[in-house]
Amino acid sequence: MKRPRISARRTAVAGSAAAVLAVTALALPTAHAAPSQARLSAADVASARATLKTEASIPGTAWSVDPRTNKVTVTADSTVRGAKLARLNKVVAGLGDKATLRRTAGQFRPLIAGGDAIWGSGVRCSLGFNVSKGGQPYFLTAGHCGNASATWSDTQGGSEIGQTETSVFPGHDYALVRYTSNIDHPSAVDLYNGSLQNISRAGEATVGEQVQRSGSTTGVHGGQVTGLNATVNYAEGTVEGLIDTTVCAEPGDSGGPLFDGDTALGLTSGGSGDCSGGGETFFQPVPAALQAVGAQLP
């Protein structure tokens, strides 16, 4: 019997356990003056990022760039406090107009949980985008998912549909899974309303762009891109080059697709918050993942 097709989707799990804390952006006073509106040079931004990487790679922090102004926004989650927060304040203050600091009440973590969608060895994630490599079918998901399991099924305890071939996390956050069963694999994203969004190309996200994310825990949610080339210091390690957004996500949504119409933009990495109170989520850019693994959209 022909197996059901699998796109970037799975039935949402009612009452999913292990949702992360809601996120609320709070202004954090710092010792330096308010940043000017002048656009900083690329050298200024590179210098600020290098300083942050050297002096402030603290678990629970993240930073991203708005290329319209070249300003760096640094975020600290609820775990950054005491001496670590004082250290971060001092580093950001020393950067002057190059950076601003804000707080989030949640906790940055990779969004992974046992549950539904694509099932691994004791973990649940979401399929990102169906791709091809060497004429053979594959799919992309998050690297922290690929690290967790060598094989995948589309049902809990079901037969294998794919094997992890490449997985990168931390540093970046992508995995390439090779299909090992005869299952339909359309280049499409489930919109959780009975229809699919066809995906025809991969593109780079832009700040201010309105985007959508699909995931096995929470279905489809939208938001806005707020920063690019983001660095997130998870407890498991640092990930760089991410897309920063206001889109919410929850555990189990990891690996799922970020898209704008028919354009593939990113793979869900992690963040803070939930889809009841709102959140901040980071995504691995798809073009970079495709290039790294030598794959392309079908």
Side-chain angles (χ1 to χ4, degrees):
M1 180 179 294
K2 190 176 183 181
R3 297 289 301 282
R5 67 183 181 181
I6 184 165
S7 57
R9 46 86 69 190
R10 187 64 179 151
T11 305
V13 180
S16 171
V20 293
L21 298 175
V23 56
T24 304
L26 302 174
L28 179 69
T30 58
H32 63 284
S36 70
Q37 296 304 308
R39 191 178 191 277
L40 297 177
S41 69
D44 285 333
V45 172
S47 173
R49 291 178 62 88
T51 298
L52 289 166
K53 183 174 183 178
T54 301
E55 301 180 19
S57 290
I58 301 166
T61 61
W63 48 85
S64 62
V65 179
D66 182 343
R68 298 172 299 184
T69 61
N70 262 5
K71 298 297 178 66
V72 180
T73 298
V74 182
T75 306
D77 75 11
S78 60
T79 67
V80 181
R81 49 186 179 265
K84 291 180 179 179
L85 181 58
R87 171 181 155 198
L88 184 63
N89 263 306
K90 182 177 180 180
V91 172
V92 174
L95 292 173
D97 287 352
K98 297 177 185 178
T100 57
L101 180 62
R102 68 185 183 95
R103 295 302 305 270
T104 176
Q107 180 179 347
F108 293 140
R109 65 184 72 180
L111 299 175
I112 190 168
D116 193 1
I118 53 171
W119 291 79
S121 303
V123 297
R124 171 175 63 86
C125 287
S126 297
L127 188 149
F129 296 98
N130 285 314
V131 299
S132 63
K133 178 181 178 181
Q136 299 301 310
Y138 289 77
F139 66 81
L140 292 173
T141 189
H144 65 271
C145 296
N147 284 2
S149 183
T151 62
W152 298 94
S153 174
D154 60 341
T155 59
Q156 184 178 17
S159 59
E160 177 188 296
I161 65 163
Q163 295 181 358
T164 301
E165 184 172 286
T166 302
S167 185
V168 178
F169 178 85
H172 300 287
D173 198 359
Y174 59 81
L176 181 69
V177 179
R178 176 174 56 86
Y179 278 107
T180 56
S181 68
N182 183 22
I183 187 171
D184 287 344
H185 40 80
S187 184
V189 170
D190 190 347
L191 298 180
Y192 285 87
N193 60 6
S195 64
L196 300 177
Q197 169 64 60
N198 289 329
I199 299 296
S200 62
R201 67 189 188 95
E204 300 288 353
T206 59
V207 171
E209 183 174 7
Q210 295 296 320
V211 293
Q212 290 182 294
R213 174 204 54 76
S214 182
S216 62
T217 299
T218 59
V220 176
H221 287 272
Q224 186 177 69
V225 176
T226 57
L228 303 175
N229 199 17
T231 296
V232 184
N233 296 296
Y234 297 125
E236 296 82 356
T238 298
V239 180
E240 298 181 314
L242 301 180
I243 304 165
D244 192 356
T245 75
T246 62
V247 185
C248 71
E250 296 181 10
D253 288 328
S254 273
L258 179 74
F259 59 100
D260 181 356
D262 67 351
T263 303
L265 298 174
L267 305 167
T268 307
S269 174
S272 65
D274 59 31
C275 289
S276 297
E280 177 178 9
T281 305
F282 300 93
F283 297 84
Q284 163 69 49
V286 166
L290 289 173
Q291 182 177 15
V293 300
Q296 53 277 322
L297 289 170

